[in-house]
């Protein structure tokens, strides 16, 4: 066999067996315990990478383990196949996004099967398939009917040269990634999901997700961003109208000495019109439209602003205070306007110092009286109110309640709960996405596509370019339709849905992938849901997971499912990392482009070995799974990815570690090949209580069952589970199978039991090899039809010693005794042993010598 064993032939054989037998197909069986296991489905980029291998190997170990434990396991796979990269690839390769996507899916499906992942391929779904996206449109219409979908104008990234909207990731340093020209903020109409209607439930039900990592829940809480405070109305001076602000610190209202609006605030330009500030304000707003909103509000960015020329009235002090526009205020949070309290907010303090604006202390520390004329920084903590009229002297918490009462009593404000969360904008001005099922009629206005006309299918005959907005606008056979209400000429919506919409409910469709009457079959979805274990990257902690939770709650409220949350347990696996190699002449180099002496194979110059970081194509610190499969096989690739680090931590790539994993599997092969005939033969039945010669090995196998079971089941500590298997393999290798004729059967029983236990426990990690070796041992069915081995706590925990019994210095028996047995107990047990009695035949005993914890020698003298 090549390099230890013929992994290519073995793996191909068992992959064929699994596929032909439908080994992993799942059906609803109410009498069995179900387990729905799901890894986040991939975008079909063309080839799987080591991050995929690790992610899916984690899930596959769990799936195979649970099947052997008797669970009815649903473990499906599909494709997140809509999205902008397909359009970019279509432009680059002069092909159609559908062809590019489908070709990639076919190739990646083959790769996943070669890794031996136990997916139910009969349930495969593809988001760009009309059979799937039809039901996404159906759900859109249902949410539209419930008032959870609406259309409004919002700011987007706009490239004037390309004449199209850019996603945030397509804006690099304020420039278009395609042509390098400046990107501006532009108001465009778009469709939104009213996720804010579920803000409180999305926040409060996080407390019920005990199986989620706390950091993920913290990120979601911060993203939802619940703030309890007050809305306060600041009347405009010298004109009609008012500005409303939201604050969590109404105890600082008396320190508000100016106001700041977001550049996008609808009143920002209007307040300056007709004043000497109009030109400066217009220029500032224009400049801010070209800056990234998140970057400009970062704490370390210089505060910038411009005076509008307008004033407002502080409703508590009745003072005129100037209204400014600032780069650090966002329209998306609160009302897009803030009261600035420079004495008690560091951001406001820096702004006031820069522009010479007044600072008046409103809250001071309890035991300190700072000089407000010489403040070095803002005091942002709790304290005691000063300069605050009738509220002076109150503690902050008490004052917040008292001032909120005053605001409501005087009708100048009210208590309010505010959320950072904003409604989800789903409109995308591109082709490769799910069409939004809306028609526009001059007479009937906005008209939903009738359910009978779904799906609205993307046209295939289309030219995709980088310019001019959505390509769908130019396809008359798609856009030109008749109004379903009045029959007049109308036009379709040409925006497509954000691809996050597709991934927000795909886990539901997996339960009913063939249903043609609805997105899910109630009996099936309510049998399988919720997903018992979800596995994916931490980068999806907020958007995808939040949107999936939102969709689950909306579908629940449509009466289609019974669960409140989609994922009972969540595992966020770490990244796969490797050192980089950089040649001074040729830049980053692939591992195979660097020789053993760390020199570039192209120019021979020494390469710089960089830090260990996430594998990425751009830095070429990647390992191609195809190379790994060819050199070592799938079982080795799986085993290394699971052994090198706990799942939740980053994995540092090691070629030596891969080689070590392969050598371990080769050792398993040798353990069985060396004793194959013995292992295949029938074994005598010897209970553990009577097992002496192989007792320690048997107990080691039992202890390994417990360790591996707990490591997989409780904490996904696959690395320590594999370590335990290596220890057991070492014990088997050291075991002396050949002993005396008296204990040959005992040794054979223990050896066979340990080897079969090793295969059963190893099978989820290295399924192909274990199937092959299980068959070689004479078993008829698949190893995965065998039950997971169990252990006896009494065998594992008992502390015992083996006492050798001699008669005149010759070993005649062995006894298993409690570890605390004293000399008297050892003597009595030896004399009572049936084998010893047979040797003594009632002859007189001259003396009994006891070596504590080890030996009893009975001296009788003479020859038998």
């Amino acid at each position: 066999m090549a390099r230890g064993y013929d992994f290519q032939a073995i793996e191909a054989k068992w992959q064929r067996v699994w596929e032909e037998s439908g080994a992993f197909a799942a059906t609803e069986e109410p009498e069995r315990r179900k387990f729905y296991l799901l890894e986040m489905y991939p975008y079909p980029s063309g080839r799987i990478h080591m991050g995929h291998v690790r992610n899916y190997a984690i899930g596959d170990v769990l799936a195979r383990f649970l099947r052997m434990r008797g669970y009815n396991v649903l473990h499906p796979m599909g494709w997140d196949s809509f999205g902008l990269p397909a359009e970019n690839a279509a432009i680059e390769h002069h092909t159609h996004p559908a062809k590019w996507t489908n070709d990639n899916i076919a190739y990646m499906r083959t790769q996943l099967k070669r890794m031996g992942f136990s997916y139910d391929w009969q349930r495969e779904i593809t988001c760009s398939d009309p059979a799937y996206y039809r039901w996404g449109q159906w759900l859109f219409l249902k949410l539209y009917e419930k008032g959870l979908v609406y259309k409004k104008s919002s700011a987007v990234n706009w490239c004037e040269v390309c004449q199209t909207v850019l996603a945030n990731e397509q804006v690099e340093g304020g420039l278009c990634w395609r042509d390098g020209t400046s990107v501006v903020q532009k108001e465009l109409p778009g469709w939104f999901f009213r996720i804010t209607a579920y803000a409180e439930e999305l926040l409060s039900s996080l407390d019920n997700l005990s199986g989620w990592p706390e950091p993920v829940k913290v990120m979601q809480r911060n993203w939802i961003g619940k703030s309890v405070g007050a809305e306060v109305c600041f009347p405009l001076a010298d004109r009609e109208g008012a500005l409303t602000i939201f604050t969590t610190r109404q105890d600082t209202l008396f320190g508000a000495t100016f106001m700041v609006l977001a550049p996008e605030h609808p009143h920002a330009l209007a307040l300056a019109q007709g004043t000497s500030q109009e030109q400066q304000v217009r220029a500032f707003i224009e400049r801010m439209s070209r800056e990234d909103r998140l970057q400009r509000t970062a704490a370390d960015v210089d505060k910038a602003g411009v005076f509008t020329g307008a004033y407002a009235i502080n409703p508590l002090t009745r003072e005129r205070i100037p209204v400014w526009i600032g780069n650090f205020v966002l329209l998306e949070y609160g009302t897009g306007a803030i009261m600035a309290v420079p004495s008690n907010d560091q951001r406001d303090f820096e702004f006031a110092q820069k522009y010479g604006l007044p600072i008046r202390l409103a809250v001071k520390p309890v035991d300190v009286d700072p000089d407000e004329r010489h403040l070095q920084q803002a005091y942002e903590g709790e304290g005691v109110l000063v300069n605050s009229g009738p509220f002076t002297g109150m503690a902050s918490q008490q004052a917040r309640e008292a001032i909120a009462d005053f605001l409501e009593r005087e009708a100048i404000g009210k208590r309010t709960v505010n959320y950072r969360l904003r409604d989800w904008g789903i409109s995308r001005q591109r082709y490769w996405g799910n069409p939004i099922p809306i028609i526009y009629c001059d007479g009937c206005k906005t008209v939903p596509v009738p359910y009978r006309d779904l799906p609205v299918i993307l046209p295939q005959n289309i030219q995709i370019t980088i310019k001019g907005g959505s390509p769908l606008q130019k396809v008359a056979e798609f856009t030109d339709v008749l109004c379903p209400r009045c029959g007049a000429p109308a036009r379709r919506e040409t925006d497509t849905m954000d691809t996050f919409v597709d991934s927000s409910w795909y886990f539901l469709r997996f339960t009913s992938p063939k249903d043609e009457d609805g997105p899910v079959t109630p009996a099936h979805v309510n049998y399988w849901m919720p997903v018992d274990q979800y596995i994916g990257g931490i980068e999806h902690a907020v958007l995808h997971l939040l949107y999936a939770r939102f969709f689950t709650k909306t579908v629940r409220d449509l009466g289609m499912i019974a669960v409140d949350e989609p994922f009972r347990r969540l595992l966020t696996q770490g990244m796969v990392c490797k050192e980089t190699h950089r040649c001074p002449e040729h830049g980053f180099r692939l591992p195979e482009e660097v020789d053993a002496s760390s020199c570039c194979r192209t120019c021979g110059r020494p390469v710089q070995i960089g830090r260990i970081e996430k594998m990425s194509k751009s830095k070429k610190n990647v390992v191609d799974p195809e190379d790994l499969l060819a050199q070592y096989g799938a079982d080795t690739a799986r085993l290394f990815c699971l052994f090198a680090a706990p799942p939740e931590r980053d994995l540092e790539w090691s070629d030596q570690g891969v080689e070590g994993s392969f050598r371990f599997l080769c050792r398993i092969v040798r353990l069985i090949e060396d004793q194959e005939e013995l292992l295949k033969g029938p074994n005598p039945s010897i209970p553990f209580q009577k097992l002496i010669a192989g007792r320690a090995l048997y107990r080691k196998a039992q202890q390994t069952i417990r360790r591996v079971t707990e490591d997989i089941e409780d904490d996904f500590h696959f690395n320590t589970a594999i370590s335990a298997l290596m220890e057991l393999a070492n014990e088997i290798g050291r075991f002396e199978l050949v002993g005396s004729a008296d204990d040959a059967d005992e040794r054979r029983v223990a050896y066979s039991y340990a080897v079969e236990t090793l295969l059963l426990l190893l099978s989820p990690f290295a399924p192909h090899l274990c199937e092959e070796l299980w068959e070689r041992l004479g078993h008829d069915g698949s190893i995965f039809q065998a039950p997971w081995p169990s252990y006896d706590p009494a065998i594992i925990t008992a502390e015992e010693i083996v006492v050798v019994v001699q008669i005149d210095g010759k070993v005649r028996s062995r006894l298993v005794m409690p570890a605390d047995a004293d000399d008297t107990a050892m003597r009595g047990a030896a004399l009572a042993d049936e084998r010893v009695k047979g040797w003594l035949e009632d002859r007189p005993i001259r003396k009994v010598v006891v070596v504590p914890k080890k030996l009893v020698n009975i001296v009788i003298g003479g020859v038998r």
Side-chain angles (χ1 to χ4, degrees), residues 667-668 671-672 675 679 697 700-701 725-737 750-759:
R667 283 176 52 216
I668 303 301
L671 284 176
I672 291 173
Q675 302 295 338
L679 291 167
L697 180 60
K700 181 66 175 179
L725 293 173
M726 291 177 173
E727 290 177 18
L728 177 58
N730 290 338
E731 289 293 322
I732 295 172
R734 287 192 291 263
F735 185 69
E736 295 181 4
L737 188 54
Y751 189 86
S752 296
Y753 175 75
V755 167
E756 292 203 352
T757 297
L758 177 62
L759 288 182

Short mmCIF file of all heavy atoms in Angstrom, two decimals, residues 667-668 671-672 675 679 697 700-701 725-737 750-759:
data_model
loop_
_atom_site.label_atom_id
_atom_site.label_comp_id
_atom_site.label_asym_id
_atom_site.label_seq_id
_atom_site.Cartn_x
_atom_site.Cartn_y
_atom_site.Cartn_z
N ARG A 667 -0.53 3.78 11.83
CA ARG A 667 -0.33 2.90 13.00
C ARG A 667 -1.59 2.10 13.27
O ARG A 667 -1.51 0.91 13.65
CB ARG A 667 0.03 3.73 14.23
CG ARG A 667 1.48 4.20 14.25
CD ARG A 667 1.74 5.09 15.45
NE ARG A 667 1.32 4.47 16.68
CZ ARG A 667 0.79 5.14 17.71
NH1 ARG A 667 0.62 6.45 17.63
NH2 ARG A 667 0.45 4.51 18.80
N ILE A 668 -2.75 2.72 13.12
CA ILE A 668 -4.00 2.01 13.34
C ILE A 668 -4.10 0.85 12.34
O ILE A 668 -4.51 -0.26 12.70
CB ILE A 668 -5.21 2.96 13.18
CG1 ILE A 668 -5.09 4.15 14.14
CG2 ILE A 668 -6.51 2.20 13.41
CD1 ILE A 668 -5.04 3.79 15.58
N LEU A 671 -1.80 -1.93 13.52
CA LEU A 671 -2.31 -2.64 14.69
C LEU A 671 -3.27 -3.75 14.29
O LEU A 671 -3.28 -4.83 14.90
CB LEU A 671 -3.04 -1.66 15.63
CG LEU A 671 -2.19 -0.73 16.49
CD1 LEU A 671 -3.08 0.22 17.27
CD2 LEU A 671 -1.31 -1.54 17.44
N ILE A 672 -4.05 -3.49 13.27
CA ILE A 672 -5.04 -4.48 12.84
C ILE A 672 -4.44 -5.47 11.86
O ILE A 672 -4.68 -6.69 11.95
CB ILE A 672 -6.26 -3.75 12.24
CG1 ILE A 672 -6.99 -3.01 13.38
CG2 ILE A 672 -7.18 -4.71 11.51
CD1 ILE A 672 -8.10 -2.13 12.93
N GLN A 675 -2.48 -8.38 13.42
CA GLN A 675 -3.23 -9.41 14.16
C GLN A 675 -4.59 -9.65 13.50
O GLN A 675 -5.55 -10.01 14.18
CB GLN A 675 -3.43 -8.97 15.62
CG GLN A 675 -2.16 -8.68 16.37
CD GLN A 675 -1.30 -9.91 16.54
OE1 GLN A 675 -1.79 -11.05 16.48
NE2 GLN A 675 0.01 -9.72 16.74
N LEU A 679 -7.98 -11.21 15.16
CA LEU A 679 -9.10 -10.30 15.43
C LEU A 679 -10.37 -10.74 14.71
O LEU A 679 -11.48 -10.47 15.17
CB LEU A 679 -8.72 -8.89 15.00
CG LEU A 679 -7.65 -8.20 15.85
CD1 LEU A 679 -7.13 -6.95 15.16
CD2 LEU A 679 -8.21 -7.85 17.23
N LEU A 697 -5.76 -3.17 29.99
CA LEU A 697 -6.09 -2.68 28.64
C LEU A 697 -7.59 -2.51 28.48
O LEU A 697 -8.05 -1.52 27.89
CB LEU A 697 -5.56 -3.67 27.59
CG LEU A 697 -5.83 -3.27 26.12
CD1 LEU A 697 -5.18 -1.94 25.79
CD2 LEU A 697 -5.31 -4.37 25.18
N LYS A 700 -8.53 0.60 30.20
CA LYS A 700 -8.10 1.77 29.42
C LYS A 700 -9.10 2.05 28.29
O LYS A 700 -9.43 3.21 28.02
CB LYS A 700 -6.71 1.52 28.84
CG LYS A 700 -6.16 2.69 28.02
CD LYS A 700 -5.91 3.91 28.88
CE LYS A 700 -5.25 5.03 28.11
NZ LYS A 700 -5.03 6.24 28.93
N ALA A 701 -9.59 1.00 27.64
CA ALA A 701 -10.58 1.19 26.58
C ALA A 701 -11.85 1.80 27.15
O ALA A 701 -12.45 2.70 26.54
CB ALA A 701 -10.86 -0.14 25.89
N LEU A 725 -7.56 8.93 22.05
CA LEU A 725 -7.49 7.81 21.12
C LEU A 725 -6.04 7.42 20.85
O LEU A 725 -5.70 6.23 20.71
CB LEU A 725 -8.20 8.17 19.82
CG LEU A 725 -9.72 8.35 19.93
CD1 LEU A 725 -10.29 8.88 18.62
CD2 LEU A 725 -10.39 7.03 20.31
N MET A 726 -5.17 8.40 20.76
CA MET A 726 -3.75 8.12 20.55
C MET A 726 -3.17 7.38 21.76
O MET A 726 -2.35 6.46 21.61
CB MET A 726 -2.99 9.41 20.30
CG MET A 726 -3.32 10.06 18.97
SD MET A 726 -2.46 11.65 18.73
CE MET A 726 -2.90 12.01 17.02
N GLU A 727 -3.60 7.75 22.95
CA GLU A 727 -3.14 7.05 24.16
C GLU A 727 -3.60 5.60 24.14
O GLU A 727 -2.83 4.69 24.49
CB GLU A 727 -3.68 7.76 25.40
CG GLU A 727 -3.07 9.13 25.67
CD GLU A 727 -3.71 9.79 26.87
OE1 GLU A 727 -4.36 9.08 27.67
OE2 GLU A 727 -3.56 11.02 27.02
N LEU A 728 -4.86 5.38 23.74
CA LEU A 728 -5.36 4.01 23.68
C LEU A 728 -4.59 3.20 22.65
O LEU A 728 -4.23 2.03 22.88
CB LEU A 728 -6.86 4.01 23.36
CG LEU A 728 -7.50 2.62 23.19
CD1 LEU A 728 -7.33 1.78 24.45
CD2 LEU A 728 -8.99 2.77 22.83
N ALA A 729 -4.32 3.81 21.49
CA ALA A 729 -3.55 3.12 20.46
C ALA A 729 -2.17 2.75 20.98
O ALA A 729 -1.65 1.66 20.68
CB ALA A 729 -3.43 4.00 19.21
N ASN A 730 -1.56 3.63 21.76
CA ASN A 730 -0.25 3.33 22.35
C ASN A 730 -0.34 2.14 23.30
O ASN A 730 0.54 1.26 23.32
CB ASN A 730 0.30 4.55 23.08
CG ASN A 730 0.71 5.65 22.14
OD1 ASN A 730 0.99 5.42 20.96
ND2 ASN A 730 0.76 6.88 22.64
N GLU A 731 -1.38 2.09 24.12
CA GLU A 731 -1.56 0.98 25.05
C GLU A 731 -1.76 -0.33 24.29
O GLU A 731 -1.22 -1.38 24.69
CB GLU A 731 -2.77 1.25 25.96
CG GLU A 731 -2.54 2.35 26.98
CD GLU A 731 -1.51 1.97 28.02
OE1 GLU A 731 -1.48 0.78 28.43
OE2 GLU A 731 -0.71 2.83 28.41
N ILE A 732 -2.53 -0.27 23.21
CA ILE A 732 -2.73 -1.49 22.40
C ILE A 732 -1.40 -1.95 21.81
O ILE A 732 -1.07 -3.14 21.81
CB ILE A 732 -3.76 -1.23 21.29
CG1 ILE A 732 -5.14 -0.93 21.89
CG2 ILE A 732 -3.84 -2.41 20.34
CD1 ILE A 732 -6.18 -0.48 20.88
N GLY A 733 -0.62 -0.98 21.31
CA GLY A 733 0.66 -1.32 20.72
C GLY A 733 1.64 -1.93 21.71
O GLY A 733 2.47 -2.76 21.34
N ARG A 734 1.55 -1.51 22.97
CA ARG A 734 2.46 -2.04 24.00
C ARG A 734 1.98 -3.35 24.62
O ARG A 734 2.72 -4.01 25.35
CB ARG A 734 2.64 -1.00 25.11
CG ARG A 734 3.49 0.19 24.72
CD ARG A 734 3.85 1.01 25.94
NE ARG A 734 2.70 1.69 26.50
CZ ARG A 734 2.38 2.96 26.24
NH1 ARG A 734 3.15 3.66 25.41
NH2 ARG A 734 1.33 3.53 26.79
N PHE A 735 0.74 -3.69 24.36
CA PHE A 735 0.15 -4.85 25.02
C PHE A 735 0.81 -6.14 24.53
O PHE A 735 1.01 -6.35 23.33
CB PHE A 735 -1.35 -4.89 24.73
CG PHE A 735 -2.08 -5.99 25.45
CD1 PHE A 735 -2.23 -5.96 26.82
CD2 PHE A 735 -2.60 -7.07 24.74
CE1 PHE A 735 -2.91 -6.98 27.48
CE2 PHE A 735 -3.28 -8.10 25.39
CZ PHE A 735 -3.43 -8.04 26.78
N GLU A 736 1.16 -7.02 25.47
CA GLU A 736 1.77 -8.31 25.14
C GLU A 736 0.66 -9.31 24.86
O GLU A 736 0.05 -9.87 25.77
CB GLU A 736 2.66 -8.79 26.28
CG GLU A 736 3.87 -7.89 26.51
CD GLU A 736 4.76 -8.39 27.64
OE1 GLU A 736 4.46 -9.49 28.18
OE2 GLU A 736 5.73 -7.71 27.98
N LEU A 737 0.41 -9.51 23.58
CA LEU A 737 -0.69 -10.39 23.19
C LEU A 737 -0.36 -11.85 23.45
O LEU A 737 -1.24 -12.67 23.73
CB LEU A 737 -1.01 -10.16 21.70
CG LEU A 737 -2.24 -10.85 21.14
CD1 LEU A 737 -3.49 -10.51 21.95
CD2 LEU A 737 -2.45 -10.44 19.68
N ALA A 750 -9.24 -9.05 25.55
CA ALA A 750 -8.93 -7.65 25.86
C ALA A 750 -8.42 -6.91 24.63
O ALA A 750 -8.81 -5.76 24.37
CB ALA A 750 -7.89 -7.58 26.98
N TYR A 751 -7.54 -7.57 23.87
CA TYR A 751 -6.98 -6.94 22.67
C TYR A 751 -8.08 -6.65 21.65
O TYR A 751 -8.16 -5.55 21.09
CB TYR A 751 -5.91 -7.84 22.07
CG TYR A 751 -5.11 -7.19 20.96
CD1 TYR A 751 -3.99 -6.42 21.25
CD2 TYR A 751 -5.46 -7.36 19.62
CE1 TYR A 751 -3.24 -5.83 20.24
CE2 TYR A 751 -4.73 -6.77 18.60
CZ TYR A 751 -3.62 -6.01 18.91
OH TYR A 751 -2.89 -5.41 17.91
N SER A 752 -8.93 -7.63 21.40
CA SER A 752 -10.01 -7.45 20.43
C SER A 752 -10.96 -6.35 20.86
O SER A 752 -11.38 -5.52 20.05
CB SER A 752 -10.77 -8.77 20.24
OG SER A 752 -9.96 -9.76 19.70
N TYR A 753 -11.29 -6.36 22.14
CA TYR A 753 -12.20 -5.33 22.64
C TYR A 753 -11.59 -3.94 22.48
O TYR A 753 -12.25 -2.99 22.04
CB TYR A 753 -12.53 -5.59 24.10
CG TYR A 753 -13.39 -4.49 24.72
CD1 TYR A 753 -14.74 -4.39 24.41
CD2 TYR A 753 -12.83 -3.55 25.59
CE1 TYR A 753 -15.52 -3.37 24.97
CE2 TYR A 753 -13.59 -2.54 26.15
CZ TYR A 753 -14.93 -2.46 25.83
OH TYR A 753 -15.70 -1.46 26.37
N ALA A 754 -10.32 -3.79 22.81
CA ALA A 754 -9.66 -2.48 22.73
C ALA A 754 -9.57 -2.00 21.29
O ALA A 754 -9.81 -0.82 20.99
CB ALA A 754 -8.28 -2.55 23.36
N VAL A 755 -9.24 -2.92 20.36
CA VAL A 755 -9.12 -2.53 18.95
C VAL A 755 -10.47 -2.10 18.39
O VAL A 755 -10.59 -1.08 17.70
CB VAL A 755 -8.51 -3.69 18.13
CG1 VAL A 755 -8.66 -3.42 16.64
CG2 VAL A 755 -7.04 -3.87 18.47
N GLU A 756 -11.50 -2.88 18.65
CA GLU A 756 -12.83 -2.53 18.12
C GLU A 756 -13.34 -1.24 18.75
O GLU A 756 -13.96 -0.41 18.07
CB GLU A 756 -13.81 -3.67 18.34
CG GLU A 756 -13.47 -4.89 17.51
CD GLU A 756 -14.66 -5.80 17.28
OE1 GLU A 756 -15.72 -5.57 17.90
OE2 GLU A 756 -14.54 -6.75 16.47
N THR A 757 -13.06 -1.05 20.02
CA THR A 757 -13.43 0.21 20.68
C THR A 757 -12.71 1.38 20.03
O THR A 757 -13.32 2.43 19.77
CB THR A 757 -13.10 0.15 22.17
OG1 THR A 757 -13.87 -0.89 22.79
CG2 THR A 757 -13.41 1.47 22.86
N LEU A 758 -11.44 1.19 19.75
CA LEU A 758 -10.66 2.25 19.10
C LEU A 758 -11.27 2.61 17.75
O LEU A 758 -11.42 3.81 17.43
CB LEU A 758 -9.21 1.79 18.92
CG LEU A 758 -8.28 2.77 18.19
CD1 LEU A 758 -8.15 4.09 18.94
CD2 LEU A 758 -6.90 2.13 18.00
N LEU A 759 -11.64 1.63 16.95
CA LEU A 759 -12.24 1.92 15.64
C LEU A 759 -13.57 2.64 15.78
O LEU A 759 -13.85 3.59 15.04
CB LEU A 759 -12.43 0.62 14.86
CG LEU A 759 -11.18 -0.05 14.31
CD1 LEU A 759 -11.55 -1.29 13.51
CD2 LEU A 759 -10.39 0.91 13.43
#
